[in-house]
mmCIF file of all heavy atoms in Angstrom:
data_model
loop_
_atom_site.group_PDB
_atom_site.id
_atom_site.type_symbol
_atom_site.label_atom_id
_atom_site.label_comp_id
_atom_site.label_asym_id
_atom_site.label_seq_id
_atom_site.Cartn_x
_atom_site.Cartn_y
_atom_site.Cartn_z
ATOM 1 N N LEU B 30 270.394 146.468 225.643
ATOM 2 C CA LEU B 30 270.338 147.846 225.166
ATOM 3 C C LEU B 30 271.727 148.216 224.665
ATOM 4 O O LEU B 30 272.736 147.769 225.210
ATOM 5 C CB LEU B 30 269.910 148.796 226.283
ATOM 6 C CG LEU B 30 268.438 148.747 226.655
ATOM 7 C CD1 LEU B 30 268.157 149.634 227.858
ATOM 8 C CD2 LEU B 30 267.564 149.170 225.476
ATOM 9 N N SER B 31 271.794 149.057 223.626
ATOM 10 C CA SER B 31 273.110 149.307 223.043
ATOM 11 C C SER B 31 273.453 150.775 222.829
ATOM 12 O O SER B 31 274.617 151.131 222.749
ATOM 13 C CB SER B 31 273.234 148.558 221.715
ATOM 14 O OG SER B 31 272.071 148.744 220.944
ATOM 15 N N GLU B 32 272.437 151.641 222.743
ATOM 16 C CA GLU B 32 272.742 153.024 222.365
ATOM 17 C C GLU B 32 272.866 153.948 223.573
ATOM 18 O O GLU B 32 271.887 154.314 224.210
ATOM 19 C CB GLU B 32 271.656 153.563 221.419
ATOM 20 C CG GLU B 32 272.044 154.925 220.870
ATOM 21 C CD GLU B 32 271.015 155.484 219.906
ATOM 22 O OE1 GLU B 32 270.094 154.745 219.483
ATOM 23 O OE2 GLU B 32 271.113 156.683 219.590
ATOM 24 N N MET B 33 274.108 154.339 223.878
ATOM 25 C CA MET B 33 274.358 155.275 224.971
ATOM 26 C C MET B 33 274.756 156.628 224.388
ATOM 27 O O MET B 33 275.578 156.696 223.468
ATOM 28 C CB MET B 33 275.480 154.736 225.865
ATOM 29 C CG MET B 33 275.824 155.639 227.040
ATOM 30 S SD MET B 33 277.232 154.982 228.022
ATOM 31 C CE MET B 33 276.353 154.007 229.251
ATOM 32 N N ARG B 34 274.144 157.691 224.912
ATOM 33 C CA ARG B 34 274.538 159.047 224.519
ATOM 34 C C ARG B 34 274.974 159.771 225.787
ATOM 35 O O ARG B 34 274.300 159.663 226.816
ATOM 36 C CB ARG B 34 273.366 159.798 223.875
ATOM 37 C CG ARG B 34 272.801 159.097 222.651
ATOM 38 C CD ARG B 34 271.707 159.914 221.998
ATOM 39 N NE ARG B 34 271.157 159.206 220.843
ATOM 40 C CZ ARG B 34 270.315 159.741 219.968
ATOM 41 N NH1 ARG B 34 269.915 161.005 220.113
ATOM 42 N NH2 ARG B 34 269.862 159.047 218.950
ATOM 43 N N ILE B 35 276.070 160.485 225.707
ATOM 44 C CA ILE B 35 276.596 161.160 226.893
ATOM 45 C C ILE B 35 276.716 162.651 226.591
ATOM 46 O O ILE B 35 277.310 163.048 225.585
ATOM 47 C CB ILE B 35 277.973 160.592 227.305
ATOM 48 C CG1 ILE B 35 277.890 159.061 227.464
ATOM 49 C CG2 ILE B 35 278.457 161.240 228.590
ATOM 50 C CD1 ILE B 35 279.198 158.400 227.859
ATOM 51 N N VAL B 36 276.117 163.470 227.456
ATOM 52 C CA VAL B 36 276.180 164.913 227.288
ATOM 53 C C VAL B 36 277.192 165.480 228.274
ATOM 54 O O VAL B 36 277.022 165.320 229.490
ATOM 55 C CB VAL B 36 274.795 165.555 227.517
ATOM 56 C CG1 VAL B 36 274.901 167.079 227.466
ATOM 57 C CG2 VAL B 36 273.798 165.060 226.467
ATOM 58 N N ASN B 37 278.230 166.090 227.744
ATOM 59 C CA ASN B 37 279.137 166.875 228.567
ATOM 60 C C ASN B 37 279.572 166.188 229.871
ATOM 61 O O ASN B 37 279.312 166.698 230.961
ATOM 62 C CB ASN B 37 278.426 168.215 228.873
ATOM 63 C CG ASN B 37 279.397 169.281 229.342
ATOM 64 O OD1 ASN B 37 280.615 169.119 229.228
ATOM 65 N ND2 ASN B 37 278.867 170.349 229.893
ATOM 66 N N PRO B 38 280.260 165.053 229.770
ATOM 67 C CA PRO B 38 280.693 164.349 230.987
ATOM 68 C C PRO B 38 281.786 165.142 231.710
ATOM 69 O O PRO B 38 282.486 165.940 231.092
ATOM 70 C CB PRO B 38 281.259 163.032 230.446
ATOM 71 C CG PRO B 38 281.695 163.347 229.051
ATOM 72 C CD PRO B 38 280.742 164.385 228.537
ATOM 73 N N ARG B 39 281.949 164.915 233.011
ATOM 74 C CA ARG B 39 282.961 165.660 233.753
ATOM 75 C C ARG B 39 284.358 165.390 233.204
ATOM 76 O O ARG B 39 285.137 166.314 232.992
ATOM 77 C CB ARG B 39 282.915 165.295 235.247
ATOM 78 C CG ARG B 39 283.784 166.233 236.077
ATOM 79 C CD ARG B 39 283.816 165.836 237.536
ATOM 80 N NE ARG B 39 284.436 164.530 237.711
ATOM 81 C CZ ARG B 39 284.514 163.899 238.868
ATOM 82 N NH1 ARG B 39 283.980 164.448 239.942
ATOM 83 N NH2 ARG B 39 285.092 162.720 238.955
ATOM 84 N N ASP B 40 284.658 164.100 232.961
ATOM 85 C CA ASP B 40 285.965 163.752 232.404
ATOM 86 C C ASP B 40 285.858 163.700 230.890
ATOM 87 O O ASP B 40 285.058 162.923 230.356
ATOM 88 C CB ASP B 40 286.421 162.394 232.946
ATOM 89 C CG ASP B 40 286.536 162.420 234.463
ATOM 90 O OD1 ASP B 40 287.273 163.274 234.983
ATOM 91 O OD2 ASP B 40 285.859 161.598 235.122
ATOM 92 N N PRO B 41 286.654 164.505 230.183
ATOM 93 C CA PRO B 41 286.519 164.571 228.728
ATOM 94 C C PRO B 41 286.879 163.254 228.045
ATOM 95 O O PRO B 41 287.750 162.520 228.513
ATOM 96 C CB PRO B 41 287.492 165.686 228.330
ATOM 97 C CG PRO B 41 288.398 165.878 229.489
ATOM 98 C CD PRO B 41 287.695 165.407 230.703
#
Side-chain angles (χ1 to χ4, degrees):
Chain B
L30 286 175
S31 46
E32 187 179 349
M33 180 183 268
R34 302 184 181 189
I35 307 180
V36 175
N37 198 13
R39 190 183 64 185
D40 300 304

